[in-house]
Amino acid sequence: MSKNVRMAILHIAVAVVCFIGALIFFNGRISMEKGSAVAELANPSYPVLEIGNDTSSYNLMAGYKEDIDLSLVRNQITLTNNKNAVILKLHDYDYDITAIQYTLFEKTPDKPTETGTLNQLTSNKKKNIKLGTLTFKNTLSENKVYYLKFGVRLDNNTRINFYTKIQSGSGYHLDDYLAFVLKFHNNLFSKETMTENASYLEPSADTIEDNLESVNIHSGSEAISFGNMEVKQETKPRITLQEINNTYTVIQVSTILSTEVSEGVVQYYDLKETYKLRYTAERMYLLDYERTMDAYYNSSIIDSANNLLSLGIQNKKNISYVYADKGYKVCFAVQGQLWYYDYQSSDMYKIYSLSSENLPDIRNAASNHGIKLLSMDKKGNIFYLVYGYINRGRHEGMNGIQIMKYNAGTNCNEEMSFLSTSLPYDSMKEDLEKFSYLNSKSVFYCILEGDLHEIDLEKKSDKIVEAGLVNESLTASKDQSIIAIEKEQDIYKNKREPEPFYLAENPVKSRTLHVIQIKEFVQSDFYQMISFTVKQMPLMCQKAEME
């Protein structure tokens, strides 16, 4: 059995409910009459690069137009083979790339350990890839991690780079790890072969067998083998070597699955597995196993009689939504896609998608990006953010934050602003979740690389109102409409509504030397109760009156 999340379009109070139960296909399912489609973004076009191996390819890399923070590659490590080399598989698509430049370095590419160009690329027209073997001139030191930067030129004006961490593969048994992971993964799709996996699991009586959106090493064989669902793989397993040392290895596997939910209606899923393994000469040990399964929204399934949109199998933490007009209009984001539903017209629109229509396309595999909803008015106009690695459209190959507006009247998207940054996706997501706010005057605030930005979307202006903020120096209220910034002896409070300006700095003086750390906002109303720690004194509260 599966776990089904359903979205209810209600008229008065709440726009969305999450329902846990069996996967139900509704008798009242209808094919909605679509309005004019929102203009589709250009498909991903940049080449992608993989590391080859005798067992399997691994570490798919997306191309960046700009230099990046090296922490962007923190969850990926490449190993040299026993010939002090790496095999490269370049998917160059419409580009005829004949050479790959490389830079091997420890801390910065400005001080390289080795540089060079790989000119001998062999074309495999059947697989539409080019192969090359990069043999390093210098032997990589064992137990030492380097960075490797690849560069290819697309045309006279465009050059993109790929990044990975790399270390000597001597003694790490990578082939054995990859062979085990691939066998375990492929065994999942057959009840007969799944019995081979059972001995590696540690099932617990506390696990829920019909919970398919999230399973782990303590789940039963029934849940791990997809219950009674008949699923098939739409893509080959994509492997990322995340961590490897003498004690354990962490490998992630991702793939696109599909199942036919009714005649002619196919549901697609994004599957991600994480394996933690230990190799010994006697056997392989599965130390931990986690898997998530999330459905791509299928707009052909709707229960109009009960005002329900079926989101399928989902991890609830990945679902976000806003609603307006007493629930007659709702917008929700799942799996990197943004959808808008108008109950009165029964129109459903896919507003934005980080992936192209061809889901199995390997260029859709980049997962280091996300969507954050900001606001929605009663007309259905929506402000939202697209952030992280941009894999399609006019900013393809860039890393940053797009501030977008959807106009429900014209059914069009408009980019209001784009902020380029080298900040890793995980850090960007953490900062935006902690604080990102759009006020009623179309002024957007966010933290980016330690700076507090004020972006006027109407005037198309961006200014930094506070620079050099350190971790935990800014604390936001629950609705993020009020913030407090630690600044030496003062706590600054800020009221952004209804004033169109940001800093109405009315410092509330601490009765001691200075504030060490703001602990929390106790409530958010016409005033804030701020709990903080001060030197030589226990926890106390200071009331910051609103003007």
Side-chain angles (χ1 to χ4, degrees):
M1 299 293 287
S2 63
K3 187 173 183 179
N4 185 48
V5 181
R6 299 189 293 174
M7 180 168 289
I9 314 300
L10 304 181
H11 297 170
I12 300 176
V14 182
V16 178
V17 294
C18 290
F19 174 81
I20 300 173
L23 184 63
I24 299 173
F25 307 112
F26 307 105
N27 294 329
R29 185 170 66 241
I30 61 172
S31 178
M32 289 180 297
E33 181 181 351
K34 302 290 195 303
S36 301
V38 176
E40 184 73 15
L41 291 171
N43 287 328
S45 64
Y46 281 4
V48 293
L49 185 65
E50 290 181 286
I51 303 299
N53 180 273
D54 293 337
T55 305
S56 173
S57 301
Y58 69 103
N59 286 359
L60 183 69
M61 291 169 271
Y64 287 85
K65 288 176 67 174
E66 302 173 332
D67 288 335
I68 63 171
D69 188 319
L70 294 177
S71 58
L72 278 167
V73 294
R74 59 187 170 187
N75 289 327
Q76 183 191 92
I77 183 76
T78 295
L79 299 186
T80 59
N81 59 24
N82 56 10
K83 296 181 180 179
N84 195 42
V86 290
I87 300 171
L88 304 180
K89 293 185 177 182
L90 178 67
H91 303 254
D92 59 353
Y93 299 103
D94 297 329
Y95 300 97
D96 185 19
I97 296 172
T98 58
I100 302 175
Q101 295 179 322
Y102 73 92
T103 304
L104 178 72
F105 59 97
E106 293 185 36
K107 293 182 179 180
T108 170
D110 297 332
K111 297 180 179 180
T113 302
E114 180 177 319
T115 62
T117 302
L118 178 62
N119 292 305
Q120 296 179 342
L121 299 179
T122 304
S123 180
N124 185 325
K125 295 183 178 180
K126 184 177 180 180
K127 295 184 177 180
N128 197 24
I129 61 173
K130 289 181 178 176
L131 298 169
T133 300
L134 169 59
T135 303
F136 294 103
K137 306 165 192 172
N138 304 298
T139 302
L140 276 64
S141 301
E142 293 187 17
N143 302 318
K144 190 172 186 178
V145 176
Y146 301 81
Y147 288 97
L148 185 57
K149 175 182 177 180
F150 300 101
V152 299
R153 187 167 294 282
L154 305 185
D155 52 43
N156 291 333
N157 300 316
T158 308
R159 173 189 171 91
I160 62 172
N161 299 312
F162 307 92
Y163 300 84
T164 183
K165 289 189 297 185
I166 187 168
Q167 68 184 59
S168 170
S170 176
Y172 283 117
H173 304 282
L174 178 60
D175 288 346
D176 295 290
Y177 281 120
L178 295 180
F180 175 87
V181 164
L182 285 173
K183 185 175 182 180
F184 189 100
H185 171 82
N186 290 324
N187 283 347
L188 299 175
F189 303 96
S190 168
K191 300 298 182 183
E192 290 74 24
T193 56
M194 180 60 202
T195 58
E196 299 178 31
N197 292 354
S199 62
Y200 295 97
L201 303 176
E202 303 171 9
S204 169
D206 297 331
T207 58
I208 303 173
E209 283 297 294
D210 66 351
N211 183 352
L212 295 189
E213 84 280 4
S214 180
V215 302
N216 56 50
I217 196 171
H218 302 297
S219 300
S221 297
E222 185 69 13
I224 289 183
S225 59
F226 307 102
N228 61 1
M229 292 181 66
E230 294 184 7
V231 297
K232 68 175 183 178
Q233 296 189 76
E234 294 292 335
T235 62
K236 291 183 178 180
R238 296 185 291 265
I239 295 175
T240 302
L241 180 59
Q242 294 188 327
E243 190 176 355
I244 191 165
N245 54 50
N246 292 322
T247 304
Y248 64 87
T249 292
V250 178
I251 295 176
Q252 184 184 82
V253 177
S254 61
T255 188
I256 301 294
L257 303 182
S258 68
T259 183
E260 188 172 6
V261 297
S262 63
E263 186 176 356
V265 179
V266 177
Q267 178 71 67
Y268 293 95
Y269 304 89
D270 179 66
L271 187 81
K272 284 186 172 59
E273 303 169 276
T274 302
Y275 297 79
K276 186 175 183 179
L277 305 160
R278 178 183 295 139
Y279 170 86
T280 69
E282 293 75 28
R283 59 163 291 180
M284 188 72 73
Y285 289 90
L286 181 62
L287 304 179
D288 199 9
Y289 175 78
E290 293 182 347
R291 188 182 78 203
T292 59
M293 182 175 176
D294 293 278
Y296 288 88
Y297 176 65
N298 189 330
S299 60
S300 66
I301 303 175
I302 183 171
D303 181 3
S304 59
N306 295 304
N307 302 329
L308 291 172
L309 305 177
S310 173
L311 300 187
I313 298 170
Q314 296 284 348
N315 284 270
K316 290 196 292 183
K317 66 180 181 179
N318 296 333
I319 303 170
S320 60
Y321 64 90
V322 292
Y323 64 95
D325 194 19
K326 299 180 180 180
Y328 279 98
K329 297 178 176 65
V330 64
C331 178
F332 58 94
V334 289
Q335 283 304 106
Q337 296 180 337
L338 192 60
W339 295 85
Y340 167 65
Y341 179 64
D342 187 321
Y343 174 84
Q344 290 179 313
S345 64
S346 293
D347 279 341
M348 175 71 76
Y349 303 106
K350 182 164 65 176
I351 296 174
Y352 192 97
S353 177
L354 290 163
S355 57
S356 65
E357 290 301 311
N358 181 19
L359 289 177
D361 188 332
I362 196 172
R363 290 170 290 186
N364 290 324
S367 59
N368 52 345
H369 45 208
I371 295 174
K372 179 179 172 64
L373 291 162
L374 294 175
S375 68
M376 181 179 188
D377 65 24
K378 62 182 181 180
K379 294 181 180 179
N381 301 317
I382 302 159
F383 282 96
Y384 62 98
L385 306 178
V386 179
Y387 62 94
Y389 176 76
I390 309 299
N391 68 324
R392 59 190 303 212
R394 62 193 294 256
H395 297 295
E396 183 176 7
M398 299 183 72
N399 193 65
I401 302 173
Q402 281 180 292
I403 307 172
M404 303 289 294
K405 180 183 179 181
Y406 168 71
N407 187 312
T410 61
N411 198 26
C412 290
N413 274 314
E414 179 184 1
E415 180 185 285
M416 307 300 291
S417 182
F418 180 80
L419 301 174
S420 178
T421 177
S422 62
L423 200 65
Y425 165 71
D426 290 339
S427 300
M428 208 183 308
K429 180 178 181 180
E430 183 179 345
D431 285 347
L432 292 173
E433 292 298 328
K434 180 179 179 180
F435 177 64
S436 53
Y437 182 78
L438 179 70
N439 72 13
S440 60
K441 304 296 182 181
S442 295
V443 179
F444 175 69
Y445 300 88
C446 72
I447 297 288
L448 191 61
E449 298 188 67
D451 297 332
L452 181 57
H453 288 255
E454 177 188 79
I455 302 169
D456 191 315
L457 302 181
E458 298 296 334
K459 297 179 180 179
K460 309 290 185 182
S461 65
D462 175 18
K463 73 176 182 179
I464 296 174
V465 294
E466 196 73 36
L469 296 176
V470 297
N471 289 341
E472 308 304 329
S473 64
L474 180 146
T475 303
S477 59
K478 185 176 181 180
D479 65 359
Q480 301 190 341
S481 63
I482 302 175
I483 62 172
I485 302 173
E486 296 176 24
K487 197 171 183 181
E488 296 180 351
Q489 294 187 2
D490 302 331
I491 295 176
Y492 289 83
K493 69 184 181 65
N494 167 40
K495 180 175 65 176
R496 292 196 296 276
E497 300 280 13
E499 292 88 342
F501 54 89
Y502 169 68
L503 282 177
E505 291 190 352
N506 296 305
V508 179
K509 297 291 183 180
S510 158
R511 291 193 176 89
T512 57
L513 293 178
H514 65 276
V515 174
I516 302 300
Q517 182 181 16
I518 296 173
K519 296 296 184 183
E520 64 178 328
F521 278 87
V522 179
Q523 63 181 26
S524 176
D525 204 340
F526 294 101
Y527 64 87
Q528 291 294 311
M529 295 295 291
I530 306 172
S531 172
F532 55 91
T533 304
V534 296
K535 272 191 175 181
Q536 300 175 345
M537 289 189 69
L539 188 69
M540 63 176 289
C541 287
Q542 177 76 49
K543 184 175 180 180
E545 295 286 347
M546 301 293 290
E547 294 183 336

